[in-house]
Amino acid sequence: MPALITSLTAELRHDSAAVATPTPRLTWATASDSPDWVQAWAELRRDDEIVRLDARDSVLVAWPFAPLEAGERAMVSVRTGSTAGDETPWSAPLEVWAAFTDEWTALPIGLANPSRVAQPVLLRTTFALDRPVRSATLHWAALGVAEASLNGEAVDDLVLTPGWTSYRERLVHETSDVTALVRVGENALGIALAGGWYTEEYHVLTAPRRFFGDQPRALAQLVLVFDDGTMRTIATGDRWRALGDGPIVSSGIYAGEHVDARRLPAGWDEPGFDDGDWAPALVTDDVVPRPEARMAPPVRRIERMPVVEASRTPSGRILLDFGQNIVGRLRLRVTGPAGTVITLRHAEVLEDGELARRPLRLAEAVDSFTLAGSGEEELEPRFTFHGFRYADIEGWPGEFDPTAVEAVVLASDLRRTGWFESSDATLDRFHENVVWTLRGNYLAVPQDCPQRDERLGWTGDTQLFTPTAAFLYDCHAFLRSWLRDLALEQQKLGGLVPLFAPNVVPGFADRGPVAAWGDAIAVIPRLLAHSSGDATLLAEFYPGMRAWADLVLSHRDAEGLWTSGRQLADWLDPNAPPNAPSRGRTDTDIVATAYLARTLALTADIARELGDDADADRFAAQGIATRRAFVDAFVTPTGRMMSDTQTAYALAIAFDLIDDDALRGRVGDRLAFVVRRDGFHIATGLVGTAVIAPALTKAGHIDVAERLLFQTEAPSWLYPVGVGATTVWERWDGLRPDGTLNPGAMVSFNHVALGSVAAWLHEEVAGLSALEPGYRRLRIAPHPLTRLTHARAEHETPYGPAAAGWERVDGALRVRAVVPPNTTALVRLPDGSEFDVGSGTHEWTCPADAARPLPPLDLDSSLADLADSPAGYGAFHGALARQPNRFLAGAVRANALYTPGRSIRDALVFADGATLSAVAAALAAASDPVAPIATPVPHRQEPS
């Protein structure tokens, strides 16, 4: 195949021609069958102007033409030549649209005399044209959420727009080309408006209160350009009218939406409508930030899903199962008498055949529709969303047809860029759960959860999950937009990074610096810059990194440790009490000091890259001092740590806190010991989960990481999959093995953080990662797992598709890789051989490690040997579970320590002779050394 350009994009969006800057950077990818293809030059063409660049750069290349003026459109093409002399043809032209405005004249408007808080409103105005227009562009924003229409037609397909920002400091506007909707004569411009995030009542361990405002506001300006170049602007102001008694009676992000279709004024957003009984809109003197053009993809309807199963709850409601935990809402087609009220409730799981609604806490998550009685009606909430797999319906008129209801999936419209697959169906389902969890929670902001009375942009969850997110989806612009809100919130707080952004619960989110959460201001820009190749992220957010590092340095104690303040530590350690999730087994000082050392090293490196040597030297020196203080305080010469936990050891290894090679080796060995001691059950919270598998791999214990990964008992990554989970849970045991809900106050079944291990699947198991920013140089270094016969990851890099994977063939390992043109890769095969390659498709064969033989098991074998044998472990606990003394089985499972110095007989000290005989027989029969651990049979599955 001759070389050709496969993609050309402007700035950061793939979903639209719109750009938010007059000088959008350009990125293109080339495909070629020629091996080792490297770009020597590129020519960029804008209309008739051609600019030649004699360079290899093809990612985020500076705009080489005159800056775009507001509203201007340009057609851009590219062609390239290689160092070998071949040339591509010109690419298909890319339209670039400067979707920003130099002048903002629109004023905030709303309902003049609202009768209730957060009252939805319809807004309209009319204007007349005596001649056609060359172009018509609508810029619109809201303090709330809005949908705009022109002459009865929606101006765009956006949902919940303009999203959620720190409204007092930053407001985003949408831009829609409405040229085709404008007509000569009378025109009508309408806006449906609700409170959304602006009027929501927020709380975290506090009383709910509205943070931004009590009533929504809208801003819009329609810019008309005529053939002679003259312009006219129709803007929100005193010529608009408002109706507060429209079809949406009430609407809230948490509460849901209540619609009375009888109140819809037919034709309200069309010309000729009589709005004489509408009141003049309130033109407010509210001070709002000048709206800025959207830089990230908006929220859209991503997918529609049918009902998988319909049944009845014990209470008699219609129960719908969509087969997948999603984020969105329901759409109905229904016919019934006027005044019929249909009520929809939502939940993620069931409890005793009914919706389990306790996890929603104060979020009602209820939608209702009062029918107009005008034949078949199509109904869907407009300004809310829910997290649910199940919904129940009350009040449906007549016989229910499941095809009359579908679930509408909502998400920020991010481009999928990463995939993983293996020979294990359960592992692949877990990875698919991670994907669905990202889709649901990356909605306007990176939420912690989509269903309960929270749904906040938590900093800790986001920084822990960013390596996974940046591989699976192009979230560069999405997270950068959110980081701007985080930076604005931090500036208000004098360097303190709040727990979430926007910071809508002051006094809770900003009481003091919190390790792992506040460090997001340094970690996320670095991760995004590395995955995207966009170094401007570092310069933009460096002031926040420096302010955060200096603030935390001021909190160190006399030993150089971070031991002060409220810390969330290894939040949601499975060993913590259900309602005290910060009281895990890992000392908070270990977590805090480890993060301080890591952030100081990151900040020093970034300062060096930016040319600030003074800051670089200062932070590097402080980082060295902090690492030494960490080791002195928390690590013994034998490699034990003050907290003998998985998280403690994993942080020390993953963050490179130990300089001495021998000591680091002992700490790594102790980590493997502790994981086996815990029966290969995960014993980490959010912080430890992100680093446990990478740390084990780094320490040379990939076998232990594999056993941890494939554990199916609670707590583990695969336990939820075994009981029907279709997204990643907040807690390891959100549903307990006996089928009951975890009693904790926080029980989300759609939470990103514990899915952070997917990055390890991509980078280490399949072996695909970026060695240099933007994947200009790749790392191909797979780590085959004995439980798998193959694994593969693929990523759409800025240079084109890359892939890495392996399979077992005739007792050997076959490793394959795809390296995109204009990149190179460092390859390290499982046998240790290492070399460089250029672009192309590559294949190598190397020896496969033989499975380690396991000793036969009997009652005098050690519990460590029992844990090392999946078949023996399953047989042992299965035999105990079948004995009449069920208390014994539970006690052994809860208290056994799988160490070399304890025998199986020691764990059965209270067992009778019959039990000992049954266990001995089961151990003798467990002859397969690689059989999987027996999966506990759940008392109740999620999809029940």
Side-chain angles (χ1 to χ4, degrees):
M1 178 185 71
L4 55 87
I5 303 298
T6 56
S7 67
L8 172 62
T9 56
E11 201 50 29
L12 305 182
R13 288 182 66 175
H14 294 260
D15 67 304
S16 170
V19 295
T21 170
T23 54
R25 295 167 295 175
L26 300 172
T27 298
W28 58 90
T30 303
S32 174
D33 286 341
S34 299
D36 305 325
W37 194 96
V38 176
Q39 178 182 296
W41 56 266
E43 287 183 340
L44 293 163
R45 181 174 65 190
R46 175 188 178 184
D47 301 324
D48 295 329
E49 180 185 2
I50 297 177
V51 176
R52 184 180 176 96
L53 305 173
D54 291 313
R56 181 184 165 193
D57 297 337
S58 62
V59 173
L60 297 171
V61 175
W63 180 256
F65 310 111
L68 298 168
E69 296 181 0
E72 185 178 5
R73 295 177 185 267
M75 302 301 290
V76 179
S77 300
V78 64
R79 68 178 180 181
T80 62
S82 76
T83 54
D86 61 333
E87 299 180 6
T88 72
W90 285 103
S91 70
L94 170 73
E95 182 181 30
V96 181
W97 178 30
F100 52 86
T101 178
D102 290 334
E103 184 178 6
W104 191 269
T105 59
L107 300 173
I109 63 171
L111 193 59
N113 295 296
S115 60
R116 54 194 180 276
V117 173
Q119 186 170 351
V121 58
L122 298 178
L123 301 162
R124 64 173 265 121
T125 193
T126 60
F127 59 96
L129 296 178
D130 59 3
R131 51 186 166 144
V133 299
R134 183 202 306 166
S135 68
T137 305
L138 180 65
H139 304 287
W140 47 300
L143 300 173
V145 285
E147 293 181 359
S149 55
L150 183 58
N151 295 330
E153 299 288 338
V155 304
D156 220 322
D157 61 351
L158 313 185
V159 178
L160 297 170
T161 191
W164 187 15
T165 56
S166 297
Y167 296 114
R168 294 171 182 169
E169 290 75 35
R170 180 170 175 260
L171 184 61
V172 169
H173 73 74
E174 308 294 355
T175 302
S176 301
D177 183 348
V178 294
T179 307
L181 302 181
V182 174
R183 63 185 68 158
V184 174
E186 186 179 6
N187 293 264
L189 178 58
I191 298 175
L193 176 67
W197 291 282
Y198 185 75
T199 59
E200 190 54 75
E201 293 184 283
Y202 298 101
H203 63 102
V204 179
L205 303 178
T206 56
R209 78 176 187 92
R210 289 180 172 83
F211 176 74
F212 293 113
D214 294 333
Q215 298 294 338
R217 305 284 186 247
L219 306 87
Q221 57 189 47
L222 175 62
V223 180
L224 306 170
V225 180
F226 299 94
D227 287 337
D228 61 3
T230 59
M231 300 175 61
R232 179 183 174 190
T233 300
I234 311 296
T236 47
D238 57 12
R239 298 189 68 245
W240 285 66
R241 301 185 71 80
L243 176 69
D245 294 322
I248 302 179
V249 179
S250 65
S251 180
I253 298 294
Y254 299 155
E257 191 162 290
H258 303 285
V259 176
D260 188 339
R262 298 171 301 179
R263 297 174 21 164
L264 176 65
W268 72 273
D269 55 354
E270 298 179 15
F273 176 79
D274 182 5
D275 60 11
D277 59 348
W278 288 35
L282 171 70
V283 181
T284 76
D285 57 0
D286 297 344
V287 177
V288 298
R290 187 184 188 281
E292 63 181 61
R294 170 173 293 284
M295 64 177 294
V299 177
R300 288 192 171 97
R301 296 173 178 86
I302 301 299
E303 186 177 343
R304 296 187 177 187
M305 304 184 69
V307 174
V308 172
E309 182 179 356
S311 59
R312 292 276 178 175
T313 67
S315 63
R317 292 184 174 91
I318 298 169
L319 177 65
L320 307 180
D321 177 5
F322 291 92
Q324 172 64 52
N325 197 18
I326 65 167
V327 177
R329 56 217 189 183
L330 300 184
R331 185 174 181 85
L332 318 179
R333 288 183 296 103
V334 60
T335 301
T340 301
V341 178
I342 301 174
T343 303
L344 315 174
R345 304 189 311 162
H346 308 78
E348 295 183 300
V349 295
L350 301 177
E351 190 170 29
D352 300 324
E354 301 279 359
L355 299 186
R357 291 177 53 81
R358 175 173 68 82
L360 303 179
R361 301 190 307 207
L362 298 182
E364 294 179 12
V366 174
D367 299 328
S368 71
F369 300 98
T370 301
L371 302 187
S374 55
E376 185 174 88
E377 302 176 55
E378 290 197 11
L379 303 168
E380 178 187 338
R382 299 176 75 173
F383 299 121
T384 191
F385 65 91
H386 312 290
F388 66 101
R389 172 175 174 168
Y390 302 93
D392 68 23
I393 302 179
E394 191 172 30
W396 189 273
E399 184 176 352
F400 177 72
D401 179 1
T403 64
V405 180
E406 60 183 0
V408 180
V409 180
L410 304 181
S412 288
D413 192 8
L414 308 181
R415 180 175 61 106
R416 181 79 183 267
T417 57
W419 297 265
F420 173 85
E421 64 89 18
S422 75
S423 57
D424 189 279
T426 303
L427 181 61
D428 287 358
R429 178 64 243 193
F430 168 76
H431 188 270
E432 186 67 8
N433 290 1
V434 174
V435 172
W436 274 100
T437 302
L438 185 155
R439 292 179 76 188
N441 283 291
Y442 277 31
L443 189 156
V445 301
Q447 303 175 116
D448 60 323
C449 61
Q451 74 297 96
R452 67 176 178 234
D453 54 349
E454 197 166 341
R455 314 186 201 186
L456 303 173
W458 282 87
T459 50
D461 304 57
T462 305
Q463 73 92 357
L464 293 166
F465 190 67
T466 293
T468 294
F471 187 92
L472 292 174
Y473 281 86
D474 180 3
C475 52
H476 177 189
F478 173 82
L479 288 177
R480 186 171 194 156
S481 179
W482 173 77
L483 279 169
R484 288 183 174 176
D485 290 301
L486 181 61
L488 289 168
E489 300 285 5
Q490 182 194 18
Q491 290 171 20
K492 290 191 300 183
L493 297 170
L496 174 66
V497 179
L499 292 175
F500 38 77
N503 177 16
V504 290
V505 191
F508 171 83
D510 50 17
R511 284 166 49 188
V514 178
W517 276 254
D519 296 282
I521 197 63
V523 175
I524 298 174
R526 165 54 87 191
L527 291 172
L528 289 180
H530 189 69
S531 64
S532 69
D534 189 355
T536 65
L537 283 152
L538 304 180
E540 179 176 355
F541 297 106
Y542 179 71
M545 304 175 197
R546 178 175 54 202
W548 169 254
D550 283 334
L551 175 68
V552 178
L553 283 171
S554 71
H555 283 258
R556 289 186 306 177
D557 64 16
E559 296 180 70
L561 308 174
W562 185 3
T563 59
S564 62
R566 173 197 60 173
Q567 296 294 334
L568 301 182
D570 193 24
W571 185 256
L572 288 171
D573 178 336
N575 295 287
N579 281 312
S582 65
R583 288 171 52 193
R585 295 190 302 175
T586 305
D587 193 297
T588 61
D589 300 345
I590 289 178
V591 175
T593 306
Y595 260 94
L596 172 58
R598 182 200 190 193
T599 292
L600 289 170
L602 276 178
T603 307
D605 289 345
I606 293 167
R608 190 82 65 195
E609 291 180 33
L610 296 175
D612 190 337
D613 290 338
D615 269 6
D617 292 343
R618 178 168 65 93
F619 288 128
Q622 296 286 6
I624 292 170
T626 303
R627 291 200 306 274
R628 289 174 177 167
F630 179 93
V631 173
D632 290 345
F634 303 128
V635 185
T636 71
T638 63
R640 291 199 180 210
M641 294 186 65
M642 295 298 102
S643 289
D644 196 31
T645 64
Q646 295 179 19
T647 293
Y649 294 105
L651 286 172
I653 295 166
F655 290 178
D656 291 320
L657 302 182
I658 302 170
D659 295 328
D660 182 83
D661 291 341
L663 180 58
R664 186 168 59 249
R666 290 192 289 272
V667 169
D669 291 343
R670 184 66 187 180
L671 170 61
F673 177 93
V674 166
V675 171
R676 183 173 65 173
R677 179 199 67 192
D678 295 340
F680 297 105
H681 291 92
I682 195 76
T684 56
L686 271 58
V687 166
T689 298
V691 295
I692 180 71
L696 284 165
T697 306
K698 195 173 186 177
H701 294 287
I702 186 74
D703 57 329
V704 177
E706 176 178 353
R707 286 296 310 278
L708 193 62
L709 174 68
F710 283 104
Q711 175 64 268
T712 57
E713 296 177 336
S716 69
W717 283 293
L718 299 187
Y719 163 74
V721 179
V723 295
T726 59
T727 45
V728 178
W729 296 353
E730 178 178 27
R731 293 179 180 268
W732 297 108
D733 59 347
L735 279 178
R736 295 189 160 183
D738 63 2
T740 61
L741 287 174
N742 187 293
M746 303 182 311
V747 191
S748 161
F749 294 93
N750 196 342
H751 234 77
V752 298
L754 299 185
S756 59
V757 71
W760 177 75
L761 296 176
H762 308 147
E763 298 174 7
E764 302 296 342
V765 176
L768 178 61
S769 60
L771 192 60
E772 292 182 6
Y775 291 83
R776 187 178 178 114
R777 183 164 169 78
L778 285 68
R779 173 180 172 268
I780 308 294
H783 290 81
L785 303 183
T786 60
R787 286 280 296 271
L788 299 179
T789 58
H790 74 266
R792 184 178 188 273
E794 181 179 346
H795 181 66
E796 189 71 28
T797 79
Y799 297 90
W806 53 271
E807 62 178 334
R808 300 183 186 277
V809 179
D810 298 329
L813 287 171
R814 180 181 296 157
V815 177
R816 289 192 176 100
V818 176
V819 180
N822 211 26
T823 70
T824 61
L826 172 66
V827 179
R828 183 179 178 84
L829 297 180
D831 63 4
S833 56
E834 187 172 294
F835 42 86
D836 291 311
V837 298
S839 66
T841 300
H842 305 275
E843 183 177 303
W844 308 274
T845 300
C846 62
D849 288 340
R852 180 171 62 89
L854 298 175
L857 296 173
D858 57 32
L859 292 177
D860 294 314
S861 297
S862 74
L863 286 171
D865 287 340
L866 177 66
D868 284 341
S869 169
Y873 180 95
F876 172 76
H877 285 287
L880 286 180
R882 291 188 293 271
Q883 300 310 302
N885 184 354
R886 297 297 178 87
F887 296 101
L888 176 64
V892 171
R893 189 177 293 277
N895 296 304
L897 297 176
Y898 299 89
T899 61
R902 295 176 172 87
S903 71
I904 296 174
R905 193 183 299 275
D906 291 337
L908 300 176
V909 63
F910 297 111
D912 58 22
T915 299
L916 291 173
S917 297
V919 170
L923 293 174
S927 58
D928 183 358
V930 294
I933 297 175
T935 303
V937 178
H939 290 265
R940 175 175 146 272
Q941 296 188 351
E942 189 182 18
S944 65

